Amino acid sequence: MFQSLQALPPDPILGLTATFKTDANPNKIDLGMGVYKDGVGNTPIMKAVKQAEKIILQSQDSKTYVGPNGAADYNETIAKLILGQDLFQSLGKRRVTVQTPGGCGGLRLAAEFIGKANAEATVWVSDPTWANHKPLIGSAGLKFKSYPYYDHESHSVKFIDMLKILQQVPQGDLVLLHGCCHNPSGADLSPEQWEAVRDVALQQGFNVFIDLAYQGMGTGLEEDVHGVRLLAESLPELIIVSSCSKNFGLYRERTGAVTLVCDSDESCATASTVLTAAARANYSMPPDHGAAIVQLIMNTPELRSSWEEELKEIRDRINRLRSQFVQKLKDAEIARDFGFIENEKGMFSFLGVDTGQIKTLIENYSIYLVNSSRINVASINDNNIDYLVNSLAEVLAE
Ligand code: LMR
């Protein structure tokens, strides 16, 4: 039977990291996968996470099953983190949150949930969007269309074009938005643009589906969810998929959630049973460890302030790196304006080089970036920035 299978190409992001690992060049740089790296290129375990793990190791007295929805206290904690205390209170039973195996598990679960609510639904994704959105959501059988998002010429959101298309999205379809730190472009919607999206969603009656993978990595824990909260307080229904991979550095622990805002308490009670059944049918229940860490950190004042402080250091460092990189590119007198990189948010920006130049960067310089020219700014550090800038100057001069 297996002989009938066709080999598939490697994942565009994970495959690149696998190749990077086998590269013997001591100067190699991995600008591909979106993980935070410190000044010496490590992806550290946050201090609060380490401390929480020690406490859990000492105090945990059972490994019995938790359940398809994960830990109820973690779910409440995540809802408060995303929505804020006031909205959390006012939504009451119109909101349900279910723990998932990371953001990917959450997207897959949400997609299955959407398919159950409307098998004919089309999900409208930004052009461009994260490379794994289509495989993840498509695997639940949903169809896709895209709306214009990033203008590679002006290096900004093509908002007029985006709005024009959103004005044609029918009721029953979903528009997938990135909550903050747009992946791959780093270009986010302004508060006014979020308001315009809210208005068109109300007018058209389509549903909004938000991927929130980077809360706290852009401008701040509160600022980064401005749009999410605006939509949660004004739309009758909303789907939010969140992840603790980046902001808690829990990548491999697979810690995420799906939060639904429903138009009534009854609708939410029903929707919640559909999420539970889908989780049970897919993976039975999510892994516990990461969620237990988040729950402990968020509910222990010293751990929470240590986490918030370290997250701020990470965010500030990424923003400093953006400025430093732009300055070095200017100093290298490359005949191009890279200033936009300084204004974008989160880990990613497009470098704006073509596929031939990307190939040269990978093959001749061991500088790895995905085919769209997306770079992970957090991979730049004092030891590799000059090599990166000089290599780019050479490749762009060719
Ligand atoms: C990325 O976009 O690089 C990260 O979200 C990691 C991944 O799973 O693709």
Side-chain angles (χ1 to χ4, degrees), residues 11-14 17 31-35 104 130-132 183-184 213-214 245-246 251 254 347-348 370 374 376:
D11 178 88
I13 297 173
L14 306 184
T17 300
L31 300 172
M33 191 158 61
V35 291
C104 286
W130 177 44
N132 206 24
N183 179 3
Y214 296 90
S245 294
K246 277 63 180 200
Y251 308 89
R254 312 311 302 136
M347 291 207 241
F348 308 115
V370 285
R374 183 194 84 167
N376 174 10

Side-chain angles (χ1 to χ4, degrees), residues 22 24 42 79 85 98 115 136 173 215 218 272 369 382:
T22 63
N42 291 331
Q85 185 69 32
V98 163
L136 261 176
D173 280 1
Q215 182 181 0
S272 149
L369 60 162
D382 288 346

Side-chain angles (χ1 to χ4, degrees), residues 70-127:
D73 52 4
Y74 162 86
N75 291 333
E76 302 288 283
T77 293
I78 289 298
K80 286 182 201 157
L81 177 64
I82 298 170
L83 300 168
Q85 185 69 32
D86 292 351
L87 196 51
F88 173 83
Q89 289 291 352
S90 65
L91 286 170
K93 292 193 168 124
R94 279 188 54 219
R95 188 269 325 153
V96 62
T97 302
V98 163
Q99 182 189 325
T100 58
C104 286
L107 288 166
R108 182 64 176 73
L109 189 70
E112 203 157 308
F113 170 83
I114 292 164
K116 298 261 188 291
N118 177 12
E120 294 309 310
T122 293
V123 179
W124 295 70
V125 296
S126 62
D127 176 21

Side-chain angles (χ1 to χ4, degrees), residues 20 150 163 165 189 204 236-237 273 280 291 300 304 329-330 340 351 384 398:
F20 170 83
Y150 188 74
L163 210 54
I165 296 298
L189 298 178
Q204 289 296 107
E237 294 180 340
T273 65
R280 176 68 169 147
T300 310
R304 186 173 178 147
L329 288 164
K330 241 185 234 164
F340 63 93
L351 209 44
N384 65 23
E398 274 172 23

